[in-house]
């Protein structure tokens, strides 16, 4: 029986007891009272008792309603707090860059955020189980290990991006989900995209390998010729002089490599300060041609430009000359006999920058190599590159100098017809 029913029964019993006591008292004290008078008095007593009981019921019910309202208010506040907590959790889950996947013990999917859908190429399709998320063996092995052993697990996953089809590498971290003390109720899994980290590690390893090779080759020549001279080669004046020239040439190659590495490192770290000024592009190109004409004549390559008088750019003079020398020197080295190198300049569509182009009539660059030509030490034709010389850092320096000027570097090429390198340079300095 509820508390309300017990309270009503108690009040009813009290009222009946009072009325019964009244009737007994009336009979004992007024035995000769006329029946009409007795009936009137009894009616009044019953009305009074009814009024008292009704007032009590009203007040009791009012207190009960107030208590229920307070309970309902507390319930509403609890539900609102739970909703806010759920919204906060959901917003947090959706805002993190890492993919999150949560399942129960039967691998039914409890939660998956947008980042996980994107990393795993899942789109917006409905998902119910872990097998709907992925059929990768490594992922299922990690989930099984967590559920069976109660220990954290890691895995490495590889996918293809939906649009570009580029390789995507994910690091999976899985841990037990505890909702009841001492019992594993599921698995919480985080997915982290490490594609860029792996690419950087690959670039680092390639860089170290290339630096080692580029230094080892001239160093081996210097060591060999030095030992020959020390072993009596100095007595042969003709060969001794040739050996010394070879040593000098390889020492210069090592010096250039070290200088270029230091230069590129300074540019990439932002330690190069540009002295921007308005420069006459035509004059600078002609001065660069004058510097490189002997090399071009040796390779039977013609240099010419198509830059109008009065064309200006905003740049650091020394760095602009460095860009031009690297691009034109490359165009000469990888050209063909009786080929040509053309430097041109055209204004951009908004008129606030110029497109500086250096074109050659060489053999061209395969399409699969174009995205990597600005990487350090990357060589399309390794045998020919080493034959013509160079450190393999020139185009990387060009790219970073263009970026430092607020521009960009790009390349287009056609096999058998040549390549065109394009540098975007501002016409006027940016105003604050």
């Amino acid at each position: 029986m509820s508390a309300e029913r017990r309270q009503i029964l108690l009040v009813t019993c009290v009222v009946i007891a009072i009325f019964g006591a009244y009737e007994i008292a009336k009979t004992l004290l007024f035995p000769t009272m006329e029946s009409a008078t007795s009936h009137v008095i009894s009616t009044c007593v019953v009305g009074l008792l009814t009024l008292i009981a009704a007032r009590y019921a009203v007040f009791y019910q009012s207190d009960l309603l107030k208590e229920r309202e307070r309970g309902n208010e507390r319930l509403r506040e609890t539900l609102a707090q739970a909703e806010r907590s759920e919204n906060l959790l959901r917003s947090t889950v959706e805002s993190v860059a890492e993919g999150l996947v949560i399942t129960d013990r039967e691998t039914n999917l409890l939660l998956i955020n947008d980042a996980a859908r994107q990393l795993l190429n899942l789109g917006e399709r409905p998902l119910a189980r872990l097998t709907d998320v992925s059929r990768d063996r490594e992922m299922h092995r990690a989930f099984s290990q967590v559920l069976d052993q109660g220990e954290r697990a890691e895995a490495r996953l590889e996918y293809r991006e939906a649009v570009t089809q580029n390789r995507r590498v994910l690091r999976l971290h899985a841990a037990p989900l505890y909702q009841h003390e001492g019992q594993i109720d599921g698995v919480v899994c985080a997915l982290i995209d490490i594609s860029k980290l792996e690419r950087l590690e690959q670039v680092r390893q390639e860089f170290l390998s290339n630096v080692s090779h580029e230094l080892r080759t001239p160093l081996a020549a210097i060591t060999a010729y030095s030992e020959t001279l020390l072993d009596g080669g100095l007595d042969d004046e003709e060969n001794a002089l040739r050996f010394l020239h070879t040593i000098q040439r390889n020492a210069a190659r090592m010096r250039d490599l070290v200088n270029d590495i230091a230069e590129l490192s300074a540019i990439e770290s932002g330690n190069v300060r540009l002295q921007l000024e308005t420069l006459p592009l035509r004059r600078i190109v002609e001065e660069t041609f004058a510097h490189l004409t002997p090399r071009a004549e040796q390779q039977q390559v013609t240099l010419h430009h198509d830059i109008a008088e009065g064309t200006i750019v905003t740049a650091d003079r020394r760095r602009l000359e460095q860009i031009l020398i690297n691009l034109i020197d490359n165009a000469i080295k990888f050209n063909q006999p009786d080929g040509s190198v053309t430097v041109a300049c055209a204004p951009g569509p908004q008129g606030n920058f110029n497109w500086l182009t250096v074109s050659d009539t060489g053999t061209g660059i395969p399409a699969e190599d174009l995205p990597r030509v600005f990487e350090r030490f990357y060589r399309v034709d390794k045998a020919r590159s080493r034959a013509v010389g160079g450190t393999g850092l020139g185009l990387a320096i060009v790219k970073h100098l263009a970026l430092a000027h607020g521009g960009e570097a790009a390349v287009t090429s056609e096999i058998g017809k040549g390549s065109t390198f394009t540098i975007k340079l501002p016409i006027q300095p940016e105003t604050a």
Side-chain angles (χ1 to χ4, degrees), residues 224-246:
Y225 284 110
S226 298
E227 290 176 350
T228 302
L229 291 174
L230 291 173
D231 289 341
L234 288 173
D235 298 333
D236 186 348
E237 294 185 3
E238 182 179 350
N239 283 326
L241 184 60
R242 182 168 59 86
F243 291 169
L244 289 173
H245 281 305
T246 302

Side-chain angles (χ1 to χ4, degrees), residues 256-362:
D256 293 341
L257 177 61
V258 172
N259 288 341
D260 280 354
I261 292 174
E263 179 85 355
L264 183 58
S265 176
I267 296 170
E268 288 180 333
S269 62
N271 292 330
V272 172
R273 295 185 178 275
L274 301 180
Q275 301 294 327
L276 298 180
E277 55 182 315
T278 301
L279 301 172
L281 183 59
R282 178 178 176 130
R283 184 190 307 169
I284 293 177
V285 170
E286 289 175 345
E287 291 174 356
T288 305
F289 278 1
H291 175 69
L292 295 174
T293 294
R295 181 187 293 272
E297 291 176 347
Q298 184 180 3
Q299 300 290 330
Q300 301 177 18
V301 173
T302 304
L303 305 179
H304 60 85
H305 68 78
D306 187 19
I307 298 177
E309 191 69 48
T311 301
I312 61 170
V313 294
T314 300
D316 182 295
R317 185 183 186 92
R318 186 168 76 86
R319 300 303 178 180
L320 178 58
E321 291 174 348
Q322 192 174 3
I323 290 174
L324 288 169
I325 289 173
N326 282 343
L327 290 179
I328 298 171
D329 186 49
N330 257 21
I332 294 171
K333 287 189 297 187
F334 296 100
N335 219 312
Q336 303 181 74
D338 299 323
S340 64
V341 175
T342 303
V343 180
C345 187
Q350 285 80 33
N352 57 349
F353 61 86
N354 280 324
W355 291 112
L356 175 63
T357 60
V358 177
S359 305
D360 63 59
T361 56

Side-chain angles (χ1 to χ4, degrees), residues 109-183:
L109 193 63
L110 301 179
L111 182 146
I112 181 169
N113 66 351
D114 290 342
R117 286 180 174 273
Q118 181 179 0
L119 291 173
L120 299 172
N121 302 323
L122 296 174
E124 297 298 328
R125 68 175 185 266
L127 306 168
R129 296 181 58 81
L130 182 62
T131 51
D132 299 329
V133 175
S134 174
R135 296 186 182 274
D136 190 289
R137 291 183 179 179
E138 288 300 310
M139 174 180 280
H140 286 268
R141 180 196 59 78
F143 272 70
S144 298
Q145 180 178 336
V146 172
L147 292 173
D148 295 340
Q149 303 177 13
E151 299 176 352
R152 293 176 178 268
E154 294 187 359
R156 182 179 182 275
L157 313 178
E158 289 193 19
Y159 292 88
R160 290 287 176 181
E161 295 182 9
V163 178
T164 63
Q165 291 300 305
N166 291 332
R167 189 173 71 104
R168 173 179 285 163
V169 182
L170 305 179
R171 172 65 64 185
L172 179 150
H173 299 271
L177 171 64
Y178 294 100
Q179 291 179 307
H180 303 87
E181 186 175 355
Q183 178 181 343

Side-chain angles (χ1 to χ4, degrees), residues 334-336 359-365 411-421:
F334 296 100
N335 219 312
Q336 303 181 74
S359 305
D360 63 59
T361 56
T363 56
I365 303 172
V411 59
T412 58
S413 186
E414 187 174 351
I415 297 296
K417 293 188 177 181
S419 306
T420 298
F421 287 84

